[in-house]
Amino acid sequence: MSSLFLVGGVAQGPLQDAIDTRFPSLFDRVVVLDDINQLLLYLYRERVGAKYIASASDSNTIKPWSFETGIALIVHRPDGTYKDLNPILQRFFPCLNAIALTESQLRDDDSTLSILSRLQQLALICRDRIARMSHWMYDDGPFSGLYLMIRHLRCVQQFNQQVNVIPRAIRSIDFASLLGVTPEMESRLWDSLDTWSFQPHSLQTKELVYCGFLLLRQCARDAKSTVQENKLLLLIFTLESSYHQVNRFHNFRHAVDVMQAAWQLAKRLLTDPLQVLLVTLAALGHDVGHPGANNQLLCKYNSPVALHYKQRSVLENLHTDIFTSLLSEHWPQLIGKTSQGRQHMELISEAIMATDMAFHGNYVRQLQESNQAARDPRSLLSLILKAADISNVTRPLTISAQWAALITLEFDDCALLDRYQAKGGKHNSSTSGSRRNSYAEGRNSPELEHGIDYSDDFYTASPEQLTENFPAIPAGQIFFIDTFAEQFFAEFCKTFPQVGFLVENVKSNREFWVSRS
Ligand SMILES: [Zn+2]
C-alpha cells in the first residue's frame, strides 16, 4: 500500500501528470497536508491505528495503514527547520519505507520520471513478502528508502554519537492523547496484564503500545527511576516503528507478550525493583529490527549484518545494539555514561544475548549444576528473559495455539526465503503464492498488522480450528517442547518452585498436541 504525501503547499499538478501517464498503479492514495507537524502526527496515528482527538468519548479507532507493504513518498517544500526530512524518518520511523524529497528535486521532467521509475521497482519489492525480507536482510545498496537491517544499525549508532535533540514537531505531540487513553482502557489493560492468561492477539497496536507504557511506568515508579511520561511514550512509539508489523511472529506483539511474561516472572523471583525494571525493559526491545527469519539464513547467504557480527549471534547482537542505542538516547538517566548507567546497559545486553537459542543447552546445564549460580541476580535476569521468550508453550492452551499458528507461518516464510535465495534472490512475484499452512486460505494475505489482521477472528479461533487450518502445528509443538521447553522449564521450576505452573502448563499443552498428532 503506497502513499504520496504532498506537504506544505506542494503543487500536485506536474507530479500527478507524470504519475497518471507513466505510473498509474504506483500510489494507492494521495494525502495533502499543511506542514511537517501534521505529517508526523499523521504517520504516528496511522501506524498505531488511532485518531488524534481531544475528546475521549469519540470513537478512537481507525484501521492502521500498512506502510510496510508499499512505499511512502513525501514531497515537501523545505523550510528553515526541516530541510532534509530523511534523518528524522529513519530515526523515528525506521520500518515505514518513507522517502522524503523536496519539491525542487522533482522540478524537471527527466529527474521526476527517473525517481518515479525507481520507486515503482521498490514498491514491487514491498508488495512481495519474500522479496521484501530478502531486501531487508541481504541488500546494502545506496540509499533507497526501503528498510535495510544494516542501515538501521548504522543509523542508530550514528545518532548515538551525535548530540541529538528531539525535533520540536515530535516533542510537541501529546502521545497519550494520540492513543485516546481513557480510565476504562487503562483498567482493562491492567486487568489483562495482571494474569498469566495475557491475550495480546485481541489487542490493537495502540493498546499494545499502552500496555508497554503501563508496565514500564509502574516498574520505573517502583524503582524510583525518573522518566517523563511523554518521553517514555515516545520511546515506545519509536520501538514499535522499529519492529516490522508485517512479520508473522517476531513483531511488536511478540515483544509486548515477552515483556508481560518477563514482568510476571520478575515480580515473583526478584526482590530489587530496579532489576524488575531492567528485565521488563530488556524484554520490550529484545527482538527490535527482527526480519522474521533466523541467524542461519542470515549467515548462509552472507547478509551484511552477519558479516558485521562475524556470524555470531547475529540477530541478538543487532537487537542489543539497536535497543541500547535507543535507550541511551531516550532514557539517559537509566542507561547513560555514568558507571551505573553502563552497568544497567550491560545487564540489559546480557539478558538479550541470552535469548539466542544456540546457547539453550548452557542455560539448562547452569540450572542443573548449581541452583546457587542461577540465583545470582546477573544470571537471573538472563534466565527470566530467556524463559519469557520461549513462554508461548507455558500459556493456557488457546493462547499457546495462536502463537503456534503464527510461528508456523513464519517458518513457512523462512523456507520460501531459503528457496528464493538459493535461486539467486531474483524478484519474482510468484514467491509468496503457494503456502501449505495458510490461515483463511483464499482471502487476502492476512498481513496487515503484527502478523494478523486485527479485525479478523484470529484471536477467537480455538486450538481445534487452528490445528485444522495449520496441520503442522502439533508436530512442531511436540518437537519444540521435547527438544527445548520441557527440560528447561522443569529445571527452572525446580530452582524456583514459586513458578511451578509453567511446567504444569507445558505438560498439559503437550498432552493436547499428542492427542491431535
Ligand atoms: Zn523473541
Side-chain angles (χ1 to χ4, degrees), residues 249-250 254 258 286-287 355 389:
F249 182 92
H250 285 100
H254 165 68
V258 174
H286 84 282
D287 271 333
T355 61
D389 195 28

Side-chain angles (χ1 to χ4, degrees), residues 120 149 251 300 349 467 491:
Q120 176 103 312
M149 291 171 79
N251 50 42
K300 185 172 173 183
S349 303
T467 313
E491 296 297 339

